[in-house]
Amino acid sequence: VAVEDQPDVSAVLSAYNQQGDPTLYEEYYSGLKHFIECSLDCHRAELSQLFYPLFVHMYLELVYNQHESEAKSFFERFHGDQECYYQDDLRVLSSLTKKEHMKGNETMLDFRTSKFVLRISRDSYQLLKRHLQEKQNNQIWNIVQEHLYIDIFDGMPRSKQQIDAMVGSLAGEAKREANKAKVFFGLLKEPEFDVPLDDEDEEGENEEGKPKKKKPKKDSVGSKSKKQDPNAPPQNRIPLPELKDSDKLDRVMNMKEAARRVRLGPECLPSICFYTFLNAYQGLTAVDITDDSSMIVGGFADSTVRVWSVTPKKLRSVKTAADLSLIDKESDDVLERIMDEKTASELKILYGHSGPVYGTSFSPDRNYLLSCSEDGTVRLWSLQTFTCLVGYKGHNYPVWDTQFSPYGYYFVSGGHDRVARLWATDHYQPLRIFAGHLADVTCTRFHPNSNYIATGSADRTIRLWDVLNGNCVRIFTGHKGPIHSLAFSPNGRFLATGATDGRVLLWDIGHGLMVGELKGHTDTIYALRFSRDGEILASGSMDNTVRLWDAVKAFEDLETDDFTTATGHINLPENSQDLLLGTYMTKSTPVVHLHFTRRNLLLAAGAYSSQ
């Protein structure tokens, strides 16, 4: 087991020693290719999945045993047969032409240590086994035994479309076992407290101001707070911070805003307010907006973090200690008095990182801000003093993303070292390390109940991790490029993911299944957000557009029966066009971030690029 955890390079590569005759490799491969292409249609699609992993392993075997010319000719003869979505991997592969090159290449080591997973029906597998054993084609059979994991299911073989939807990641598909664990995707119960009525509410902006007492206010937040969601985790499954008075006040504000929320739908699309960063020659690399939409932060390639107030209320720092001691602590407006008017400004610049800032996240209570950078650190900044409180060092390489838990206190980060880490603001060391991805962790997101974390990676998979024990409970494959955006639906049941392949994929977390594919974008999707009640999914991309999708329709009448879950026979409806509610172009601004305000106004952000 130790060898698998930390692959010792020579041990891993020595698996390539039991080699066959190098001059026959092309013959072996073309023999198998001929067999698969001549097999029945129903088996051909499934068996074609073998082409890519066998091609890679046979090529690496030739290179490792220093048959360089045979390797070169093998590569040139067959690399054109591989699926288009493996192009980037093949480019890396073509540069590995000598045994020495293999030692320093992590991607290839991973390919070697982790078994490539294929899902094949029993009939197709029997056919393959019989062929290889008749032919005495031991070289290929050895590779199949040694390096591939064939997940055999009983039932009909899958069609080309069904397979294409699910494959494309670095290590093949997920084993069916990987998505069997129970996931508590329900929401936690909201604490109960009464909503005091303001005077203005009683006078009422609406005419029937009088009858609108506490009752409807509460219901408008949804009666979900009354009874426990059957799919929710136990309230104390992971310790969450206590609500402070200021948090309660904020919840009350939130409920009031929610009462004025616009109900969105195909007939009622949100207005979109776009924040364009002009002259951002420092290079905008990350954006976040507070939940109450009062502040916006930008992370820049020049290593600065810039915070703006987007309301008329300016950003102010707390006074110095000497001045604070003069204040009467009993006065009613003490919170107002501690702020230093002289420091009021619309923009604060935070210096501290020594490399581009790739991720930013406000704490839910708006007291703190996280930023992560190419310099390998995550920094926690105070929004009271606009200074850095802590630098968390754990990643030795660039950190691509970070995010606060919806309940504050915990946060997650993911980076080039291929792991995600869970932190608490008051600990120097991470509380959990989530290891399993085969390439950079490019984006990280908390589930609304804070018990799970989703990570997207350059290995083209999305994993869902349990915060309690650090286990990986879901592996989603299907994207054909690195993942750059994740969004959970507000009810916690679904996950939307976007990647460099320009597709948005939708996943049912409970069943561990892909349930939809939204096609339309022509470039990487950097931003995904569900509206506050989950009726609309907004996506923002490098193609300079924001697109709105009908989330209700996308998730209704899903076929999530046990059969589908067991075999992965997913039938995705080709209905992207029916689900697309609108496309909004910017002049020349890639969309980096999206945010729905509490009243369902959509805010978008990006930096104008003058190409």
Side-chain angles (χ1 to χ4, degrees), residues 538-573:
S539 59
S541 159
M542 285 293 282
D543 64 12
N544 304 344
T545 64
V546 173
R547 289 172 192 259
L548 301 179
W549 310 88
D550 186 338
V552 176
K553 197 163 165 190
F555 293 128
E556 69 190 4
D557 41 86
L558 294 176
E559 288 185 53
T560 46
D561 51 31
D562 297 336
F563 172 69
T564 319
T565 322
T567 57
H569 281 69
I570 50 166
N571 293 305
L572 294 181

Side-chain angles (χ1 to χ4, degrees), residues 332-350:
D332 291 345
D333 59 348
V334 64
L335 289 175
E336 190 53 37
R337 289 190 188 187
I338 60 175
M339 303 315 269
D340 186 354
E341 271 310 316
K342 295 197 286 296
T343 62
S345 65
E346 273 180 5
L347 160 69
K348 298 280 185 195
I349 305 184
L350 308 175

Side-chain angles (χ1 to χ4, degrees), residues 27 38 40 42-43 58 78 90 177 208 222 239 262 333 351 357 362 365 397 411 416 418 480 487 507 562 564-565 578:
E27 205 174 297
C38 297
L40 292 172
C42 64
H43 301 302
M58 290 172 85
F78 297 116
L90 291 173
E177 282 309 304
E208 63 281 71
V262 183
D333 59 348
Y351 298 100
V357 177
F362 284 109
D365 62 6
Y397 297 98
F411 63 95
H416 176 62
R418 304 181 291 182
K480 311 296 184 257
W507 311 89
D562 297 336
T564 319
T565 322
D578 314 342

Side-chain angles (χ1 to χ4, degrees), residues 187-195 214-230 232 235 251 255 407:
L187 305 182
L188 295 174
K189 221 163 90 178
E190 285 290 317
E192 304 248 336
F193 40 81
D194 287 342
V195 181
K214 284 177 198 166
K215 277 290 174 282
K217 272 266 159 59
K218 261 219 169 129
D219 292 348
S220 70
V221 185
S223 45
K224 61 169 179 277
S225 55
K226 300 284 184 293
K227 53 183 191 297
Q228 184 77 30
D229 179 333
Q235 208 65 16
R251 294 280 164 101
M255 288 177 180
Y407 292 89

Side-chain angles (χ1 to χ4, degrees), residues 23 64 106 176 181 187 214 252 292 386 407 414 436-437 452 455 506 538 570 573:
T23 52
Y64 181 77
E106 292 162 352
R176 283 169 303 159
L187 305 182
K214 284 177 198 166
V252 171
D292 69 346
F386 295 98
Y407 292 89
H437 280 296
Y452 298 93
T455 54
L506 307 173
I570 50 166

